[in-house]
Amino acid sequence: MDIIETERLILRPWREEDAADLYRYASDPAVGPAAGWAPHKDVGDSLHILRTILMKPDTWAVTLKGGDVPVGSVGIFPSSCSLANGQPEIGYWLARPLWGNGCIPEAVRALIALCFDRGAEEVWCAHADFNVRSHRVIEKCGFTYRCTEDWTSALGDVRKSLYYSIRRKEWDGSIKAD
């Protein structure tokens, strides 16, 4: 899998040795539940998540240039939105100490560019109706609201998920930092 470099970030494959760093941020109760997953309980839990979810194709650890510590994750997967017809969707999370500094919009823009380079005509993104931080990322990246659908999270609750997309013809090619 490719390493993706942006102005301030290196997006690289996850590794088993990332388990302790993943646990440090994924155990924060403000991080996972907003994205629909439970805070990690211990380093063993994080290692299991690495092996079963994060160490997959099209999922990257977000690291800051000049360091190699994962501070978040971004990934591409087939959208479950009924309007998406299997088009790619981008998901993400970021460690709370870095919230609000534009890292995730920068990473998402890089993945939008990758999806279009691979031939996608439309790229999707979604957030739970209460997740205002995620909504702001989607807004900064130029996505347009398309619909709201029920979504069952990994926590087992049914949420209103707002789906957005950006079409190739709407994309300005920007992957710059905010």
Side-chain angles (χ1 to χ4, degrees):
M1 183 166 70
D2 293 332
I3 291 174
I4 300 169
E5 186 172 337
T6 69
E7 186 177 327
R8 301 177 297 158
L9 307 172
I10 301 289
L11 310 180
R12 62 151 174 89
W14 283 95
R15 305 182 294 246
E16 286 189 0
E17 56 266 26
D18 293 327
D21 292 320
L22 174 59
Y23 173 69
R24 180 179 329 136
Y25 298 120
S27 61
D28 183 338
V31 174
W37 44 269
H40 293 197
K41 297 177 200 88
D42 54 38
V43 174
D45 190 24
S46 292
L47 182 59
H48 175 74
I49 297 299
L50 279 166
R51 290 175 174 162
T52 60
I53 297 172
L54 296 177
M55 292 174 62
K56 302 284 185 194
D58 289 343
T59 303
W60 293 265
V62 175
T63 67
L64 302 174
K65 280 188 176 175
D68 192 39
V69 175
V71 294
S73 188
V74 291
I76 302 168
F77 51 91
S79 181
S80 62
C81 178
S82 64
L83 301 178
N85 298 317
Q87 289 285 330
E89 183 175 322
I90 296 171
Y92 47 83
W93 66 266
L94 185 67
R96 187 171 13 174
L98 294 169
W99 287 359
N101 74 3
C103 286
I104 288 299
E106 186 174 335
V108 167
R109 287 186 193 106
L111 295 191
I112 293 168
L114 178 62
C115 289
F116 288 143
D117 286 348
R118 291 177 172 178
E121 289 300 319
E122 190 169 20
V123 179
W124 291 77
C125 213
H127 69 85
D129 59 354
F130 60 82
N131 191 336
V132 295
R133 292 185 190 287
S134 191
H135 176 259
R136 185 71 183 123
V137 168
I138 290 168
E139 186 177 71
K140 287 180 178 182
C141 291
F143 287 87
T144 300
Y145 172 79
R146 304 293 182 205
C147 67
T148 300
E149 295 182 357
D150 286 343
W151 173 70
T152 303
S153 80
L155 296 170
D157 61 330
V158 177
R159 300 174 176 201
K160 294 290 180 198
S161 190
L162 284 70
Y163 287 90
Y164 302 76
S165 74
I166 188 165
R167 296 179 176 128
R168 179 185 294 275
K169 65 185 177 187
E170 299 166 337
W171 175 243
D172 68 3
S174 171
I175 59 170
K176 64 188 176 301
D178 283 334

